[in-house]
Amino acid sequence: MSDVNKYSHNIVPTTAEDKQVVIDFLRKFFFRDEPLILGINMREDYDSLAKLENYCFNFMDNGLAFKAVSPNGDLIGVVLNNVMHREDGEKNNESEEDIKDNTKFSVITTFLDKVEREADVFKKYPSIDRVMDIKIISVDESFRGQGVCKALIDKTIELALENKCPMVYIECSSYFSAKAAERLGFECIYTSYFRDYLDENGKVIFKTLPPHDSSKVYVLHL
């Protein structure tokens, strides 16, 4: 991190007490910008948004989540992480049918499960048994381009090494997050184009706007 960015924000762990503040932040930035959410108009589905918030809660106080805080104490960025184990990946490959419901959130999780299953990181890298998985990363739009995303990724890399994970993994459904991953040295190992993901009537499910045309899986070897 450069000296300029070093003093513009601090990276600290999130705690259970941060949950509501972090959710409010994600509502304002991540939920508003995420192509999969916009591609199925999920922001109007309150049941789905509640499920998404509960999903985020699962990763906020696991010891793997961090927030970027400005000098005056404002929350300006968040990264939610989780450790994936080989046995988890093998279980996902064995069973494609989880308990699903009819919410739009379930449409997204079904797609993300498919992406993870087809990317099959543990089959591609048989010597790796633990991977640090970046679930969500989001930065206040006023602070984008100022090194906040890189600082959160750098902290995640530190965390991966501490947890004996030789790889960091991220799924990017946003064109901009994919470009950020590439700039930070991540390698793309899988691409799924939204135009090819169809419903039972042959219609495209995620009607995303350009330049968001695909979900990509990136990895960084440590």
Side-chain angles (χ1 to χ4, degrees):
M1 192 186 310
S2 70
D3 288 341
V4 173
N5 289 324
K6 179 179 178 182
Y7 297 106
S8 64
H9 49 262
N10 293 317
I11 307 299
V12 296
T14 64
T15 66
E17 289 72 27
D18 293 320
K19 282 187 173 182
Q20 192 56 53
V21 173
V22 171
I23 280 294
D24 290 343
F25 178 89
L26 293 176
R27 285 175 184 155
K28 185 175 181 180
F29 298 107
F30 182 79
F31 293 8
R32 184 196 66 186
D33 296 338
E34 166 57 44
L36 295 181
I37 293 174
L38 300 179
I40 55 173
N41 295 319
M42 199 180 91
R43 292 183 68 194
E44 301 173 3
D45 182 341
Y46 295 106
D47 287 342
S48 287
L49 290 179
K51 288 179 179 294
L52 174 56
E53 290 176 9
N54 287 332
Y55 171 84
C56 295
F57 281 145
N58 293 329
F59 304 107
M60 285 186 198
D61 59 351
N62 60 0
L64 304 175
F66 288 85
K67 60 183 179 179
V69 182
S70 70
N72 62 3
D74 292 334
L75 179 62
I76 60 173
V78 172
V79 62
L80 306 182
N81 299 308
N82 193 45
V83 175
M84 286 197 302
H85 301 83
R86 175 171 293 278
E87 53 267 31
D88 299 333
E90 291 171 349
K91 182 179 178 181
N92 190 26
N93 284 339
E94 289 171 1
S95 176
E96 299 187 12
E97 293 299 325
D98 295 325
I99 298 175
K100 301 294 182 182
D101 53 42
N102 293 322
T103 64
K104 291 183 176 181
F105 178 65
S106 183
V107 173
I108 290 179
T109 57
T110 298
F111 174 71
L112 295 179
D113 286 347
K114 173 181 179 290
V115 168
E116 181 181 327
R117 191 167 53 248
E118 293 181 355
D120 206 354
V121 66
F122 291 111
K123 182 177 181 181
K124 285 184 172 68
Y125 304 101
S127 65
I128 292 177
D129 293 322
R130 291 165 61 86
V131 172
M132 184 62 67
D133 180 10
I134 299 175
K135 290 295 187 183
I136 289 177
I137 187 165
S138 183
V139 175
D140 183 325
E141 63 184 4
S142 301
F143 289 86
R144 291 172 188 171
Q146 298 183 34
V148 179
C149 180
K150 182 180 185 302
L152 290 167
I153 295 290
D154 286 346
K155 193 64 181 179
T156 297
I157 291 171
E158 288 181 24
L159 192 69
L161 295 172
E162 290 171 6
N163 284 269
K164 304 186 186 311
C165 297
M167 176 180 286
V168 178
Y169 171 105
I170 185 170
E171 296 175 15
C172 298
S173 52
S174 162
Y175 171 87
F176 301 114
S177 61
K179 289 301 179 184
E182 291 171 5
R183 287 194 300 271
L184 293 171
F186 283 72
E187 171 194 1
C188 182
I189 63 167
Y190 173 86
T191 301
S192 177
Y193 289 97
F194 299 135
R195 64 174 179 265
D196 298 328
Y197 191 63
L198 311 176
D199 64 16
E200 63 273 13
N201 298 315
K203 295 183 178 180
V204 174
I205 293 175
F206 295 107
K207 298 176 176 64
T208 57
L209 296 175
H212 311 294
D213 65 353
S214 61
S215 183
K216 297 185 176 185
V217 173
Y218 288 86
V219 298
L220 180 69
H221 298 267
L222 305 180

